[in-house]
């Protein structure tokens, strides 16, 4: 499993630097988490101001 960023993402970028394995990157219209890289650590969850990041 991997954490997921929902469509509520406002592309603020607050989460990107919180990921220890650099799984978060900006896609075409929002930030996304690479499921193959994410270790499900949860470090990014509280960084999101709109609570768009959840456990998958
Ligand atoms: Fe990165 Fe951890 Fe968030 Fe996965 S849960 S995207 S490994 S910070």
């Amino acid at each position: 499993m991997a954490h997921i960023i929902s469509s509520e993402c406002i592309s603020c970028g607050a989460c990107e630097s919180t990921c220890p394995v650099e799984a978060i990157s900006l896609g075409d219209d929002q930030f996304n988490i690479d499921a193959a890289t994410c270790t499900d650590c949860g470090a990014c969850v509280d960084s999101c101001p709109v609570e768009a990041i959840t456990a998958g």
Side-chain angles (χ1 to χ4, degrees), residues 3 18-21 23-24 33 37-44:
H3 275 56
T18 67
C19 181
V21 294
I24 303 175
I33 296 173
T37 304
C38 175
T39 60
D40 254 351
C41 72
C44 55

Side-chain angles (χ1 to χ4, degrees), residues 12-32:
C12 69
C15 59
E16 189 174 17
S17 65
T18 67
C19 181
V21 294
E22 298 184 1
I24 303 175
S25 61
L26 181 60
D28 289 340
D29 52 4
Q30 68 167 71
F31 278 82
N32 295 302

